[in-house]
Amino acid sequence: MNNNLEFSNFIDLVALMGRPDFDTHLLLYLNKWIRSKYFSILRVEDKTPVLLLCGTQDEERTVPWSCGQSYVRKYHHYDDLYVRLSDKDIQPHQTATGYLCADDIIFSPYRQEIYEKNGLIQRLCGFYRDDDNQPILFNFYRHKDQGLYTDHEIANFEKMTPALAKMIQGHLALSEKSRQKDFKYRLKRYQPLLTQQEIEVCSRILKGMSYIGIAADLNLKESTIKTYRNRAFDKLGISFKNQLFSMFLHS
């Protein structure tokens, strides 16, 4: 790996941290060392994964999103690679790597819906724990037209994983601050009658946090969080979380 080229590319990518176009450039910048079709980034909270970011250089931009949602909703329990990595004694900010070939996935619905349906044959996975000791996964997927990852690419990935982990963590932190500020502003603008506590709860729901997580974050009881949620939903004219997501994530 050319160290000067590596440094230059990482400087360019660092400049995009926190910006919405980070995801569209990530694969492009990594292409010299790891050629991948799609990528996804997930955080596992209370044993439940949340899809934080995904992307592709391909025109079919819905594929990584739909695959990520299928993984979160139905198949994460069958991910042997995640189990192997999470069983390692990894402390916050430490990293581990692994890879998985689609042919080695035992549970056929998982293999068929995410891999075979989309022509994916292999996945590289970087694993680290964030400040809250929650697992973060960043996955890179190889398409059958590209062939399997070479030994050289796998070695490059292992070398780059610590730097990638720090960069991804920085990007998520910066984008989260921006997004949370935006959510709170938009909630207040959409419904001025919302109280500050109701806005705090709704903005964290939009972040993907569980009610237990929100309660811990705001130092309140879970029942109190649900009371604020119900009051906010009444003022917004909705009844379910997916309606809140439709209003503020897809608008």
Side-chain angles (χ1 to χ4, degrees):
M1 191 187 304
N2 185 310
N3 289 332
N4 290 331
L5 181 60
E6 176 187 358
F7 180 76
S8 174
N9 261 29
F10 268 89
I11 289 295
D12 290 339
L13 195 54
V14 165
L16 296 175
M17 284 168 50
R19 288 175 42 177
D21 51 348
F22 178 88
D23 61 325
T24 62
H25 288 83
L26 180 60
L27 291 181
L28 179 64
Y29 280 113
L30 297 181
N31 219 24
K32 294 179 175 65
W33 308 296
I34 313 163
R35 292 179 57 244
S36 300
K37 186 77 167 180
Y38 307 115
F39 82 91
S40 64
I41 301 173
L42 301 100
R43 184 176 193 261
V44 182
E45 182 178 328
D46 300 328
K47 298 183 179 180
T48 301
V50 176
L51 182 63
L52 301 179
L53 196 65
C54 61
T56 179
Q57 297 181 60
D58 192 69
E59 292 182 359
E60 293 295 328
R61 301 192 63 82
T62 59
V63 170
W65 175 256
S66 62
C67 286
Q69 292 301 315
S70 293
Y71 177 88
V72 165
R73 293 169 182 165
K74 296 187 284 186
Y75 300 122
H76 66 275
H77 296 297
Y78 304 98
D79 185 0
D80 292 335
L81 177 55
Y82 168 69
V83 172
R84 293 202 303 269
L85 293 174
S86 61
D87 282 345
K88 294 185 176 182
D89 185 20
I90 302 295
Q91 301 301 312
H93 307 298
Q94 292 182 338
T95 61
T97 62
Y99 66 89
L100 175 73
C101 293
D103 290 342
D104 295 330
I105 298 174
I106 297 173
F107 189 62
S108 58
Y110 172 35
R111 183 180 66 248
Q112 291 166 2
E113 183 168 337
I114 292 182
Y115 288 84
E116 294 177 357
K117 178 182 176 181
N118 299 292
L120 304 179
I121 58 173
Q122 195 175 22
R123 163 185 161 215
L124 290 177
C125 180
F127 177 99
Y128 72 94
R129 294 187 181 275
D130 63 15
D131 294 330
D132 299 321
N133 204 34
Q134 301 291 350
I136 303 286
L137 306 177
F138 47 99
N139 304 299
F140 295 91
Y141 294 90
R142 191 78 157 202
H143 192 267
K144 62 183 180 181
D145 293 343
Q146 299 173 303
L148 296 172
Y149 287 106
T150 66
D151 291 342
H152 184 63
E153 286 178 302
I154 293 173
N156 282 344
F157 180 71
E158 291 173 348
K159 291 177 183 176
M160 298 169 71
T161 290
L164 272 174
K166 291 181 180 179
M167 185 182 302
I168 288 170
Q169 192 166 20
H171 169 70
L172 293 175
L174 290 170
S175 59
E176 178 58 31
K177 287 182 180 179
S178 175
R179 187 173 68 166
Q180 283 299 297
K181 182 178 180 180
D182 183 53
F183 280 151
K184 292 175 184 179
Y185 171 78
R186 290 167 63 193
L187 283 159
K188 188 66 176 178
R189 185 172 182 180
Y190 186 90
Q191 177 48 275
L193 296 178
L194 289 172
T195 67
Q196 189 59 41
Q197 288 283 43
E198 291 164 357
I199 289 173
E200 295 293 341
V201 169
C202 285
S203 67
R204 284 164 174 79
I205 292 174
L206 288 165
K207 175 185 174 183
M209 293 177 66
S210 67
Y211 294 125
I212 294 175
I214 296 172
D217 195 36
L218 295 178
N219 196 28
L220 296 170
K221 294 181 180 179
E222 186 179 355
S223 59
T224 303
I225 296 302
K226 291 182 178 178
T227 297
Y228 285 133
R229 173 206 62 189
N230 293 339
R231 291 175 180 171
F233 282 13
D234 284 343
K235 293 175 183 178
L236 292 168
I238 60 177
S239 302
F240 305 103
K241 284 199 297 184
N242 63 344
Q243 293 174 296
L244 184 69
F245 295 148
S246 296
M247 291 173 70
F248 293 98
L249 288 181
H250 307 298
S251 59

